[in-house]
């Protein structure tokens, strides 16, 4: 039977909860050679854990897709490049569980209300709960956000992730400035409108956003009142063509009534087309705003 440690069992259970019901039931049949018939998905998860010899075996199962492991690591606050292959994600996950077991920590989601202290998050947008390093906080949020947004682009062939107004505060504000010759500015207020406008960028306009998660392309800071500011620069693509660069600033606020998750309070986005770039480096664009300017947003 299972020889999983406590941290491995806890982690494997979280991964199983991210799987579709169809894949979960299929995996249950696989690990038991169809000798056990389960009644529901809860029983399927417990059966899979009971018949799994070790964590690596489970992670390498075909039904445990790469995107599932990536999403799990994102929820745990572990920053991984979006281009990571499955074997790299498996290795990092095993390292995470091994480290947790070594120090004997029992991580409880939402165990602290202080951004700078350690606690395990329970949604991809809650990385601020566990990270003292605000740069890692920003990296993880942007990795989660842009992977989710890009997954809506039909030309990429990815399974669309859970995009929607639920990730935004009801009074969220989007300010979108685009410059490709003439400058155009749009403003949207409300979770549904903001969500729909951002979705249109990838789903309808088929844009693909590639954020620069290196220090010169990303900044993150927190205010004493709980607002988290994340700013990132990156390139915009359509198919194989680079169309220009973007700079995006997010304001995040904790949502204590929804399992300690974080929601987006405002988004300021600037897009510059190729025609507006004069000798600029577009492969890894740097932020033009500085920490002082971001700090001013904390008082908004």
């Amino acid at each position: 039977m299972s020889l999983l440690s406590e941290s491995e069992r806890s982690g494997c259970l979280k991964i199983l909860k991210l799987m579709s019901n169809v894949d979960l039931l299929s995996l249950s049949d696989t690990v038991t050679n169809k000798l056990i018939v389960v009644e529901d998905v809860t029983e399927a998860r417990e059966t899979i854990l009971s018949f799994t010899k070790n964590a690596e075996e489970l992670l390498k199962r075909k039904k445990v897709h790469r995107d599932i492991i990536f999403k799990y690591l994102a929820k745990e606050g572990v920053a991984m490049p979006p281009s990571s292959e499955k074997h790299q994600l498996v290795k990092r996950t095993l390292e995470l569980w091994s480290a947790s077991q070594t120090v004997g920590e029992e991580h409880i989601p939402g165990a602290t209300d202080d951004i700078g202290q350690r606690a395990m998050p329970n949604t991809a947008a809650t990385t601020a709960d566990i990270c003292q390093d605000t740069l890692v906080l920003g990296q993880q949020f942007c990795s989660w956000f842009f992977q989710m947004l890009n997954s809506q682009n039909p030309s990429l062939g990815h399974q669309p992730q859970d995009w929607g107004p639920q990730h935004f505060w009801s009074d969220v504000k989007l300010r979108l400035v685009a410059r490709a010759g003439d400058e155009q500015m749009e403003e949207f207020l409300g979770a549904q409108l903001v969500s729909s406008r951002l979705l249109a960028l990838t789903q309808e306009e088929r844009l693909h956003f590639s954020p620069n998660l290196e220090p010169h392309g990303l900044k993150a800071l927190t205010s004493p009142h709980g607002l988290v500011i994340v700013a990132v620069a990156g390139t915009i693509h359509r198919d194989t063509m680079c169309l220009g660069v973007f700079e995006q600033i997010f304001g995040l606020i904790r949502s204590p009534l929804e399992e300690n998750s974080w929601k987006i309070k405002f988004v300021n986005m600037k897009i510059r087309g190729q025609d507006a770039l004069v000798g600029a480096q577009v492969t890894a664009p740097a932020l033009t705003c500085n920490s002082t300017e971001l700090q001013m947003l904390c008082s908004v």
Side-chain angles (χ1 to χ4, degrees), residues 15-32:
I15 286 177
L16 293 177
K17 288 182 177 180
L18 294 175
M19 295 175 60
S20 69
N21 291 351
V22 173
D23 284 346
L24 193 65
L25 295 174
S26 176
L27 181 57
S28 179
D29 286 341
T30 298
V31 299
T32 65

Side-chain angles (χ1 to χ4, degrees), residues 137 220 261 271 278:
L137 178 161
S261 66
I271 295 177
V278 181

Side-chain angles (χ1 to χ4, degrees), residues 20-57:
S20 69
N21 291 351
V22 173
D23 284 346
L24 193 65
L25 295 174
S26 176
L27 181 57
S28 179
D29 286 341
T30 298
V31 299
T32 65
N33 291 320
K34 296 186 178 181
L35 296 177
I36 295 179
V37 178
V38 297
E39 298 295 331
D40 52 40
V41 293
T42 300
E43 186 177 346
R45 295 186 191 107
E46 289 302 319
T47 300
I48 292 169
L49 292 176
S50 297
F51 281 81
T52 295
K53 296 178 181 179
N54 58 70
E56 185 174 5
E57 176 190 72

Side-chain angles (χ1 to χ4, degrees), residues 10 110 182 274 280:
S10 174
D182 296 332
Q274 287 279 22

Side-chain angles (χ1 to χ4, degrees), residues 162-300:
D162 187 28
W163 179 267
Q166 69 272 18
H167 300 300
F168 302 85
W169 285 95
S170 61
D171 60 347
V172 62
K173 184 176 182 180
L174 166 65
R175 187 171 186 268
L176 176 60
V177 177
R179 188 174 68 185
D182 296 332
E183 182 172 288
Q184 297 181 337
M185 194 268 286
E186 301 176 72
E187 288 191 344
F188 300 86
L189 181 64
Q192 188 62 58
L193 287 177
V194 171
S195 172
S196 297
R197 183 63 185 98
L198 291 173
L199 176 62
L201 295 174
T202 53
Q203 191 175 74
E204 298 176 15
E205 300 178 39
R206 302 203 171 196
L207 301 179
H208 173 242
F209 295 87
S210 180
N212 177 15
L213 303 185
E214 297 300 319
H216 66 282
L218 185 146
K219 295 181 186 296
L221 54 85
T222 61
S223 79
H225 308 293
L227 178 67
V228 178
I229 302 292
V230 178
V232 64
T235 51
I236 305 174
H237 307 261
R238 181 181 290 124
D239 298 323
T240 59
M241 181 180 298
C242 179
L243 302 180
V245 300
F246 72 92
E247 189 166 330
Q248 200 156 349
I249 301 175
F250 300 90
L252 310 176
I253 296 179
R254 187 194 304 273
S255 175
L257 299 181
E258 298 186 28
E259 297 187 342
N260 203 30
S261 66
W262 290 71
K263 290 187 176 185
I264 301 170
K265 181 68 172 178
F266 67 80
V267 183
N268 294 340
M269 187 174 191
K270 295 181 181 179
I271 295 177
R272 288 184 293 160
Q274 287 279 22
D275 293 342
L277 301 175
V278 181
Q281 173 60 263
V282 298
T283 55
L287 281 171
T288 60
C289 58
N290 55 42
S291 296
T292 301
E293 292 172 316
L294 295 180
Q295 191 67 55
M296 293 177 63
L297 292 173
C298 287
S299 60
V300 176

